[in-house]
């Protein structure tokens, strides 16, 4: 059966029209799904019984079950959701002074193989649909009775490897008749799929683009991120410059510092050389050690020195606050869990 949450408003209108209904019905349904956040068609009381029955026959609502919920000492919550086909995904809710942020997964598993990431080493199973991406937000809002203001595509998966569904999910999130989360409050993080960065620049969606850079030489970046063999640093930076020129939007570069690997002065100098003059911001992340991983965190002192060097040389850099590390919910710690786990 089709998932009703996979459709953006325009598509839902077409669906309704093809069922012989008036397009405004789609707006009513959208409101029930994303504003009232109902969990069944029966609750859509301004829709005729007959149409409700037809909807039930043709569509699911894809309400995720919570398999596990862990609360961190800092208030961060990690959910393990049953995506209703025997698979499970993780989603993280974080609380900041400016509101609630959610870190969503875009795929079940990941193909990228980054050496420092916990999502590596588990099989890639499939892309999430638009509705399954949107449902992560709905399920958390319903469970915690709150409104999420920011969405980051930094959970499991490579969002630009599931391009169409991610873009459609953003259209659903953006819609003012729905969840009404502005694109400026949405970040897409990518390991660097160059052709998709060019494509995203043409979308006219003012979301934030984050690039997982992590190294400034091809040798080092390839040793950490196999995707660099396909799209080396020069090509990645060229695509980023094109993105900035077309969108006039600041890019955020993610740089996870690993002790004695990419955290010395030479690396900081390399970063200044690479990014000088670009409309960008560097997010420094203390790398999180994963099971059997060979990378360990740089010391706080070292990270601050690295940041200061960048700031002193014209590159705006901040250190990302770590949230949820005690429940394996910090950057790069999410894994696809089996249902029986
Ligand atoms: N595939 C996308 C999004 C998922 S990863 C991407 O690569 O950007 C989200 C962010 O967490 C990325 O910047 C990623 O490089 C970073 N990350 C992954 N593993 C990490 C770890 N062990 N410690 C710190 N950051 C990590």
């Amino acid at each position: 059966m089709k998932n009703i949450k996979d459709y953006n408003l325009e598509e839902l209108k077409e669906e309704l029209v093809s069922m012989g209904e008036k397009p405004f019905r789609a707006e009513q349904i959208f409101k029930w799904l994303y504003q009232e956040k109902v969990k069944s068609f029966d609750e859509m009381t301004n829709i005729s019984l007959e149409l409700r029955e037809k909807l039930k026959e043709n569509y699911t609502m894809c309400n995720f079950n919570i398999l596990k919920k862990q609360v961190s000492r800092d208030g961060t919550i990690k959910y393990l959701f049953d995506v209703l086909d025997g698979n499970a995904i993780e989603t993280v809710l974080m609380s900041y002074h400016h509101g609630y942020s959610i870190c969503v997964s875009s795929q079940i598993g990941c193909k990228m193989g980054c050496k420092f990431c916990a999502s590596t080493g588990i099989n890639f199973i499939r892309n999430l649909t638009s509705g399954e991406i949107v449902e992560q937000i709905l399920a958390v809002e319903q469970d915690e009775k709150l409104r999420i203001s920011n969405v980051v595509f930094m959970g499991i998966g490579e969002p630009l490897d599931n391009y169409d569904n991610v873009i459609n999910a953003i259209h659903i999130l953006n819609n003012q008749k729905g969840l009404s989360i502005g694109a400026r409050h949405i970040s897409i993080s990518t390991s660097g799929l160059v052709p998709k960065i060019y494509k995203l620049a043409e979308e006219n969606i003012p979301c934030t683009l984050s690039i997982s850079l992590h190294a400034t030489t091809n040798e080092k970046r390839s040793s950490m991120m196999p995707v660099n063999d396909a799209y080396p640093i020069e090509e990645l930076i060229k695509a980023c410059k094109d993105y900035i020129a077309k969108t006039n939007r600041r890019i955020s570069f993610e740089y996870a510092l690993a002790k004695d690997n990419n955290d010395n002065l030479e690396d900081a100098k390399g970063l200044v050389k690479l990014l000088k003059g670009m409309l960008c911001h560097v997010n420094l992340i203390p790398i999180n050690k994963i099971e059997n991983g060979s990378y360990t965190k740089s010391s706080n002192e070292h990270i601050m020195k690295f940041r200061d060097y960048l700031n002193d040389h014209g590159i705006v850099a901040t250190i990302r606050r770590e949230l949820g590390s005690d429940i394996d919910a910090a950057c790069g710690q999410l894994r696809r869990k089996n249902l029986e786990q």
Side-chain angles (χ1 to χ4, degrees), residues 103-104 106-107 110 112 114-119 153-160 188-192 210-214 225 253-257 285-290 295 320 330-333:
C103 177
V104 293
S106 54
Q107 297 180 314
C110 187
M112 296 301 121
C114 300
K115 299 284 190 313
F116 46 85
C117 180
S119 301
F153 282 86
M154 293 193 184
I156 300 165
E158 166 51 53
L160 296 190
I188 297 182
S189 181
T190 179
S191 55
S210 291
I211 303 287
S212 299
L213 187 60
H214 306 318
M225 306 174 72
F253 286 97
E254 311 290 306
Y255 195 99
L257 288 143
I285 315 167
I287 209 161
N288 284 298
K289 191 164 170 37
I290 54 161
Y295 299 107
R320 178 181 289 169
C331 295
Q333 291 186 311

Side-chain angles (χ1 to χ4, degrees), residues 26 59 92 153 202 217 329:
Y59 304 94
V92 178
F153 282 86
E202 306 288 343
T217 64

